[in-house]
Amino acid sequence: MKAYYADEQKHHDPKAFLSSGAPQPNPEQPERVERLLAGARAAGLEIERPRDHGLGPIAAVHTPEYLDFLEHIYARWQHIAGASAEVIPNIHPIARGGSYPASAVGQAGYHMADTACPISAETFQSACWSAWSAVDAADAVATGSSAAYALCRPPGHHAFADVAGGFCFFNNSAIAAQRLLAGGAERVAILDVDLHHGNGTQGIFYARSDVLTVSIHADPVRFYPFFWGHADERGEGPGLGYNLNLPLPRKSGDDEFMAVLEPALRRIRAFAPSALVVALGLDAFEGDPFGGLSVTTPGFARMAAAIAGLGMPSVIVQEGGYLCDALGANLTAFLGAFQSCMTGRM
């Protein structure tokens, strides 16, 4: 299995975010990359630099209005007297639609769901290379590889078509799914196993029937992203029945996770996709700083073996997983078990 990653992804270096109203150091740090790279190499993966694909594959998922905003907002922000060093919104609309603000401050509120995704001079390019890593991994699978890993940082699953949020700017898992469709896949399933619900991914495909979205995550009734990820969210219009949320009680461990993984995999089999995207969050780990679930390192290997047991061409896209001693080992456990199971099926 190959891994795709570009060093430019480390240049985005957010300084802070608000947590329960208090400024805290931003946990989505460049150091995550070093630990994930070590984990991928320990699993035997060859690291390959992705190509610059331009904005085309990103624009297949995100609106031109949003892309223009992300590319130019930092420079515009610098012209505001007394503005913060990073772009951080201080106002959010209670409804989106109709008029579009002309001011940088108004647009920041319009396009940024929360204060967890500050934009600096390097953010746009880092996010592009993160997305291009997902594109190359999708292309590898579309052209015959059984699996590929995209080390995407910054992550993506909280980004909607025109909104950043939760450390995410471009939705790399959605971009990979759309790329697989463009490469000939009839249907694609996305399985999100991150601690947090992939609300952006759900939003992008909520009214579509060509992409099935399935998410296992900590119950959002008292956990980010709060407003999405509940079990009664099933899709709408043509997408009704093509979204499945399986929220877990806080601190659920390996056995609880595996118990809900079974109906998730059953739903994916029923959809009969041509390919699978795994939105891999390692923050479900028992020692992750967010502390929402209690999956162990061997638990990630169990999870990977079960998913690989589907026997589907798979793009594994990195989502969350924050700085702790076991971050690299958790990735090694997942990728090692996934490869071993896939090889055993061949």
Side-chain angles (χ1 to χ4, degrees):
M1 188 193 306
K2 284 187 177 179
Y4 295 89
Y5 162 77
D7 272 342
E8 287 88 344
Q9 294 170 228
K10 288 194 294 188
H11 296 171
H12 170 65
D13 188 7
K15 303 305 181 188
F17 79 127
L18 288 180
S19 178
S20 301
Q24 304 285 348
N26 196 302
E28 209 291 280
Q29 290 298 304
E31 173 63 21
R32 295 180 63 236
V33 164
E34 300 304 329
R35 302 195 190 190
L36 292 167
L37 281 172
R41 290 188 176 111
L45 272 66
E46 173 189 347
I47 313 298
E48 187 168 306
R49 179 179 172 84
R51 294 188 297 116
D52 179 340
H53 291 272
L55 289 180
I58 302 171
V61 166
H62 294 284
T63 67
E65 187 175 70
Y66 178 60
L67 294 178
D68 182 69
F69 163 80
L70 278 184
E71 184 171 8
H72 300 291
I73 187 59
Y74 178 77
R76 294 171 58 205
W77 197 258
Q78 304 316 299
H79 297 298
I80 302 172
S84 57
E86 299 173 301
V87 180
I88 302 174
N90 57 270
I91 186 169
H92 300 280
I94 60 170
R96 299 175 75 252
S99 62
Y100 182 68
S103 78
V105 172
Q107 289 180 11
Y110 187 89
H111 289 298
M112 301 170 77
D114 51 46
T115 63
C117 45
I119 297 171
S120 67
E122 297 81 13
T123 299
F124 182 74
Q125 278 301 310
S126 289
C128 283
W129 283 104
S130 184
W132 294 332
S133 296
V135 171
D136 262 22
D139 285 351
V141 168
T143 54
S145 295
S146 60
Y149 170 63
L151 201 174
C152 292
R153 190 271 159 184
H157 73 152
H158 295 306
F160 288 77
D162 64 349
V163 178
F167 314 141
C168 302
F169 302 93
F170 294 143
N171 195 310
N172 306 307
S173 293
I175 289 167
Q178 191 65 42
R179 186 73 171 187
L180 288 166
L181 292 170
E186 260 189 83
R187 293 176 304 283
V188 176
I190 301 176
L191 173 61
D192 193 322
V193 296
D194 191 276
L195 166 64
H196 304 94
H197 176 250
N199 54 328
T201 310
Q202 174 177 293
I204 288 167
F205 297 112
Y206 204 59
R208 287 174 52 171
S209 61
D210 55 346
V211 176
L212 172 73
T213 47
V214 179
S215 181
I216 302 170
H217 50 271
D219 193 332
V221 69
R222 294 184 183 274
F223 203 68
Y224 188 91
F226 301 108
F227 308 107
W228 304 271
H230 302 275
D232 60 353
E233 297 161 13
R234 299 172 47 237
E236 65 183 12
L240 183 61
Y242 291 86
N243 187 80
L244 175 64
N245 289 328
L246 296 162
L248 284 167
R250 294 279 293 274
K251 301 301 181 182
S252 293
D254 295 352
D255 291 342
E256 294 89 347
F257 199 102
M258 295 302 296
V260 298
L261 182 59
E262 194 278 328
L265 300 181
R266 193 169 64 238
R267 183 67 59 90
I268 291 168
R269 289 190 190 96
F271 181 62
S274 309
L276 175 69
V277 174
V278 181
L280 176 61
L282 299 169
D283 44 359
F285 177 57
E286 60 184 349
D288 188 88
F290 280 102
L293 294 176
S294 299
V295 175
T296 66
T297 300
F300 284 110
R302 290 176 63 190
M303 186 191 309
I307 297 168
L310 289 169
M312 295 175 182
S314 301
V315 180
I316 302 167
V317 176
Q318 187 64 53
E319 296 289 355
Y322 299 95
L323 294 179
C324 63
D325 290 343
L327 179 58
N330 290 337
L331 181 61
T332 302
F334 187 94
L335 295 176
F338 199 95
Q339 289 185 105
S340 178
C341 187
M342 290 292 279
T343 301
R345 295 180 62 90
M346 293 174 66

